[in-house]
């Protein structure tokens, strides 16, 4: 089975350090460790990646076309701006789940629109970093079906 790609956009490398009142105290390394453990339990492997560069996220989505079974993506600010990430995801055939740590709908109006949601099979927002694990469970269900 091909790995599940877990893609993280700009500033998520600062998770645990930036705005902890919004994003919590866990670091991205903590999230990665928990995702790797859960994926193993579910019988899957992971590629867990983060970049501050839009083009790098696009390139990883392209890689997933051949090498990935599914994509879990927290596009961070690119959610609200990036037609390029949406177009790349539209060229990917497997399941896509969009994750936001915070409840974007409770925040500024510019966070209420997501380009990525036009492609995502499911969206999780406001469940903290647990959202990543819930997304992996959903992906495992979809891949089993
Ligand atoms: C985020 C929400 C986005 O609006 C924001 O730009 C982020 C993180 C979240 O996980 O809650 O960087 O995607």
């Amino acid at each position: 089975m091909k790995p599940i790609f877990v893609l993280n956009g700009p500033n998520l490398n600062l998770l645990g350090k930036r705005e902890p009142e919004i994003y919590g105290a866990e670091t991205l390394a903590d999230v990665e460790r928990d995702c790797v453990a859960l994926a193993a339990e579910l019988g899957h492997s992971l590629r867990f990646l983060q970049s501050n560069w839009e083009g790098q996220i696009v390139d990883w989505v392209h890689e997933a076309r051949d090498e990935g079974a599914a994509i879990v993506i927290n596009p961070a600010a690119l959610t609200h701006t990036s037609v390029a990430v949406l177009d790349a995801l539209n060229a990917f055939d497997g399941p896509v789940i969009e994750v936001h740590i915070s409840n974007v709908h409770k925040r500024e109006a510019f966070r209420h629109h997501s380009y990525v949601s036009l492609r995502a099979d499911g969206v999780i927002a406001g469940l903290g970093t647990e959202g990543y694990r819930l997304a992996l469970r959903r992906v495992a269900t979809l891949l089993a079906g």
Side-chain angles (χ1 to χ4, degrees):
M1 178 70 94
K2 294 173 182 173
I4 299 165
F5 279 48
V6 182
L7 303 181
N8 294 280
N11 301 304
L12 287 168
N13 54 310
L14 296 180
L15 198 63
K17 295 176 197 134
R18 79 157 167 157
E19 302 181 275
E21 66 287 359
I22 296 175
Y23 298 114
E26 266 193 311
T27 66
L28 200 61
D30 295 331
V31 177
E32 177 173 9
R33 183 202 56 220
D34 291 348
C35 284
V36 167
L38 177 62
E41 242 177 71
L42 297 170
H44 290 279
S45 61
L46 274 196
R47 278 191 69 190
F48 193 99
L49 300 160
Q50 188 277 330
S51 180
N52 294 326
W53 296 85
E54 182 176 20
Q56 178 64 80
I57 302 287
V58 169
D59 283 347
W60 283 332
V61 173
H62 292 180
E63 276 178 35
R65 279 164 51 81
D66 290 327
E67 297 165 22
I71 296 175
V72 171
I73 184 165
N74 183 347
L78 297 174
T79 308
H80 319 298
T81 62
S82 182
V83 176
V85 172
L86 170 63
D87 283 350
L89 289 167
N90 278 334
F92 175 77
D93 286 335
V96 174
I97 307 291
E98 176 182 349
V99 173
H100 300 286
I101 297 165
S102 66
N103 181 358
V104 284
H105 301 290
K106 213 177 163 185
R107 300 180 63 193
E108 303 96 320
F110 68 83
R111 295 185 203 275
H112 298 176
H113 176 262
S114 166
Y115 285 102
V116 170
S117 292
L118 293 168
R119 165 62 180 89
D121 298 297
V123 182
I124 295 172
L127 302 187
T129 55
E130 191 183 349
Y132 285 83
R133 300 190 296 280
L134 294 167
L136 285 176
R137 287 190 187 280
R138 179 63 183 159
V139 154
T141 303
L142 292 173
L143 291 175

